[in-house]
Amino acid sequence: MGLREPTVFILTALARDRLHGYGIIQAVERLSDGRISLSTGTLYGALDRLERDGHVAFAGSEQDGGPARRYYQLTDSGRRLLADEVDRMQATAATLAAEIQQAWP
Amino acid sequence: MTGRSGAMSRAARLVIDRWLPATIDREAVQVTAAAALANAGPFGQVREIASLLGLGLRLRSRSATGDRPRTIVGQGVIIGLVAIAALACGALLGLSLAAVQILAVAVPALALGISWFDPRLAVAAATVWALRLVATDHVEFVGDLERLGSDVTVSGLVVRWLAMASGVLAAIVIARLAIRRAELV
């Protein structure tokens, strides 16, 4: 299954703990050094697909004075998906680094 | 909350309530959008509203096709055929030829523009333009092409045909990209 870059960051944002929607947006911005600024539409488009495919699950709602916030967490399948993607990225980076080292010894 | 922020929040609420399908938790989207709008500048607020409109298209497409390429293509072709039938009905009901021709270019172009969210629209645009290309007067077109050998003046028909062929090719490329994007998570 192919993953888009924002999806990799969304999964990574959820790796440590459950988060609500805006919490994920903030975590992705922090993890990407401000490079990826998710809009609400992009976030929920990805979360809808990840939830449908069983990689992310509902993790309760909390009300803090205002309307209830819906929390999300990674499932075991989501953790495997993220780990596989990180392995793939590391393998690609190693191949590129080896090629560069040969080209510019 | 400034006047602009208030208007943007109301616009977001309207889009979420009226445009997003019931398959998504609208309240959760509303809470996130409100926080994002409160922390965004004017450009960011417009981007937020646009992203919510795109989300509605994306979710509808996903729910209708399951993001399966064959289903996307099948439904896109049907949408394109319905659009052609609607244009034909418009012409029969008295719409001028110029208006039909403008609609036959403008509507698929608009569909292509938003097909990033719903890839069926790119397939539909490609279908409409491909059928128009097929419906060209081929005898006249071949005659014009033969005359090109002796007369360097390019006829309007040849120019139109080239434009339509380019449009079909562009629509096919965009449709392929949009389908590929729909497959990715």
Side-chain angles (χ1 to χ4, degrees), chain B residues 117-136:
Chain B
F117 302 106
D118 186 346
R120 295 176 299 174
L121 297 177
V123 177
T127 304
V128 171
W129 284 343
L131 284 176
R132 285 200 70 208
L133 193 66
V134 170
T136 313

Side-chain angles (χ1 to χ4, degrees), chain B residues 33-55:
Chain B
L37 283 169
N39 292 294
F43 174 76
Q45 290 181 335
V46 172
R47 175 176 164 256
E48 271 297 312
I49 305 289
S51 85
L52 293 171
L53 288 167
L55 177 64

